[in-house]
Amino acid sequence: MVAQPSFSVSADAEPSGSLGAAYDRLPTAVVCVRGTAVFYANPAAAALFRRSVETLIETPWTALCRAISAEPLDLAQRAQAGGAVTVALKDMGAGASEPLCQLFVSPLRLVPGGDWLLIFEPVSALGPLADQQDVLSRLLDTVGDAVLLVDDDGRILDLNTAAQRVFAVDRDPARGMSVWPLLAPTLFEDGGMGEEASVQMLIRAVPRSTLGTGRSITMSRVDGIGFPGEMAVSPLPLPTVSAHLVTVRDVSDRKRIESRLERLALYDPLTRLPNRVKILQHLERMIAQAPLKTIVAISIDIDHFKYVNDFFGHGPGDRLLQAVGGRLGGDLEEGDLLGHLGGDDFVIISSTLDPVATIDRLARRVEEASARTFLIDQSELYISLSQGIALYPDHASEPSNLLTAAQAATYEAKEAGRATTVVYSERVRDRRAGRLAIETDLRRAAERGEFSLEYQPRLGTLDGTLRGMEALLRWDHPEMGRIPPSHFIPIAEESGLIVPIGHWVLETACKQARYWMQRGFPDLKVAINLSVRQFRDAGLLQKVVEALEASGLPPANLELEITESGLMSDLDRAVDLLQDLKALGITIAIDDFGTGYSSLSYLKRLPIDLLKIDRSFISGISDNADDRAICQAIVSMAASLTLETVAEGVETESQFECLQEIGCREVQGYYFARPLSVGDFSTYLTRHPANSPR
């Protein structure tokens, strides 16, 4: 800071003559005031105020500067206080900023209403406002968020680099623009904001700060493209102008991520239909908005869908699900919602005042969806759909219970023969409750010793000798008695309990077969069924090895049976696993042959030993030419591949004779013996070691 010039001040001193000449040469702005008007100004003052000396004369000194502080500037008080005070220069020209100066006041003539000497020294530490804004601009450019410096009228004073990018505008054209079309385009278009708008109105219209809160405001680039943004408004105390910092964070990327996450959380990624969570949310809104309406929920399952995956692979299966979803949703009315609950389970929900008509409309829609074939990967597929219907509030008072009731009715439709419709009822509820009870008891059946095995003999058709036996699982429930395998095996399969249960069967059958071998039946072979889930179990090979080692049963005396669907679900893995099992010396059989893929191409790849002809063909072999032809074809094909054949479910003499004629090598069924308990089979062994079948 330049030191204040030291002037001699006397009662009759005037800035004239040599003193005036000295003032004129000073680089510091000097102004002399008499009363309120300027009566002298040196050239430095004229340069500072951007006027000529002549125009300064007679100008009120209050027109030249204003106090920065809230208190008015009194020259007498200022002179008495001593020191300097910061003032802002006024009326610097259109669009010019108000520079800051340090003002020193001294009495020039000590008379009432006396004269005053005013010395103005520019504040070099702060510089003029333009310099302040330059420093501020440099600072703001380091900020990642868009920052706008706006005045009280909403005019942009400055903006940082991020704001130029976010709003698609350059700095120079943006200065002086109204901020409202950018920050509040909707309010601006509706007339809520205009040229007379103020920052205070903006603060009232939106929260002072939404940064980090997740609440976004629609903003607009200069080219009119909208984007979601979060905003904070804060005052910026500049000494020469009242301004605000408006910080804007473009959350477009975050919104896209949130939208993506929402879709992942609420929509099935395969079919792009609402998932269970989204459906439940929709049901809650439907109930809240129209509590007196009936809500119809129709659950839809694709019949035998697992066969599509097993035979064609999961890729075509996925495309079938997409096609079914597209066809089901093609002609739905406004207010209907189609969702994908997972797997092959779809659901349609609709709020209505006429549930009977709505059920009829939706049921017909489902029937039409399956009336035409689907073309998947150049393969024409025909499917049927099972439907289960439940109503709110008749069958359930909660959204989740409504879906559960509809799905329970669908399960009943499948068990009733598929391609049909079942409406939820108390009977359905009781049956599903019974199923749940069975599943619960199944989990404890093995440890309680409720499982047992029965063995059905298998005999040669040429000499009637006993070739082996098939181990069959039985469950004697302590309260319900013996439960048929057809009742509990599907439940065990669906729940995954079949894996530990199957392991128990494997261990038990191997030990029992080894026991009979040691009692004089060394050629006895035991056949054990493997479920699809067991075959897919990564630990199957190790479990087989452990069962053989623990029992001491030679691998040649063990036969493992797997269905075609279990093999075709992953043919490459099936080939590898069967080769490993064959390497142990185990016999491999395909069970229920003829009901699945039955392709010569895959039979050539599989390391198998035996085909078991399904009982559905055996039942009509003696009086149905087609069944006989199918059985003959299977036997001939097996012979060409050096495979053995076994006919299961033989119940009559005529069936047995037909099988002998076509060359089937082994048979089993009620005609020879029913499945026998361990004790009865032991007796059977002693009586029929190598006798004829009857």
Side-chain angles (χ1 to χ4, degrees), residues 86-263:
T86 302
V87 296
L89 305 190
K90 298 167 62 175
D91 194 18
M92 302 303 293
S97 59
E98 297 182 337
L100 299 181
C101 285
Q102 294 283 297
L103 172 62
F104 299 87
V105 180
S106 298
L108 187 62
R109 177 178 293 171
L110 301 179
V111 296
D115 299 344
W116 303 97
L117 178 69
L118 279 59
I119 300 174
F120 294 88
E121 182 178 339
V123 182
S124 58
L126 293 177
L129 180 60
D131 295 335
Q132 299 173 52
Q133 290 185 213
D134 182 64
V135 173
L136 185 60
S137 296
R138 293 172 183 269
L139 291 174
L140 294 181
D141 282 341
T142 65
V143 179
D145 291 328
V147 181
L148 302 165
L149 177 63
V150 300
D151 62 18
D152 279 343
D153 294 329
R155 295 289 172 182
I156 299 175
L157 300 175
D158 203 357
L159 68 166
N160 68 350
T161 302
Q164 296 175 62
R165 182 185 68 255
V166 168
F167 291 102
V169 65
D170 292 331
R171 174 170 271 147
D172 289 339
R175 287 171 173 158
M177 286 176 50
S178 172
V179 77
W180 311 128
L182 303 180
L183 300 184
T186 303
L187 295 175
F188 184 76
E189 291 172 0
D190 293 343
M193 296 276 184
E195 294 299 322
E196 74 284 357
S198 69
V199 174
Q200 296 303 321
M201 292 176 63
L202 179 65
I203 293 174
R204 288 194 297 269
V206 298
R208 179 175 289 270
S209 176
T210 63
L211 290 180
T213 65
R215 300 191 306 273
S216 63
I217 302 167
T218 299
M219 300 183 180
S220 177
R221 301 187 342 167
V222 170
D223 55 15
I225 298 176
F227 67 91
E230 295 177 348
M231 182 177 69
V233 182
S234 58
L236 180 66
L238 288 176
T240 60
V241 64
S242 178
H244 288 76
L245 282 180
V246 179
T247 304
V248 173
R249 181 172 299 162
D250 183 353
V251 294
S252 300
D253 290 340
R254 193 192 75 197
K255 288 293 183 182
R256 281 192 290 270
I257 293 173
E258 288 176 352
S259 177
R260 172 66 174 162
L261 291 175
E262 180 182 11
R263 290 205 64 83

Side-chain angles (χ1 to χ4, degrees), residues 432-488:
R432 303 321 298 174
R435 183 190 184 283
L436 180 60
I438 288 177
E439 181 178 336
T440 302
D441 290 345
L442 264 177
R443 297 181 182 277
R444 297 187 289 253
E447 62 187 54
R448 292 177 176 178
E450 297 170 7
F451 288 137
S452 63
L453 293 181
E454 290 185 344
Y455 299 87
Q456 187 171 35
R458 204 163 79 192
L459 301 98
T461 57
L462 297 180
D463 55 12
T465 57
L466 181 66
R467 299 290 187 88
M469 68 284 192
E470 182 177 0
L472 301 169
L473 179 64
R474 298 294 182 258
W475 181 20
D476 292 302
H477 193 280
E479 297 174 359
M480 292 183 282
R482 174 156 290 189
I483 300 177
S486 60
H487 197 171
F488 73 85

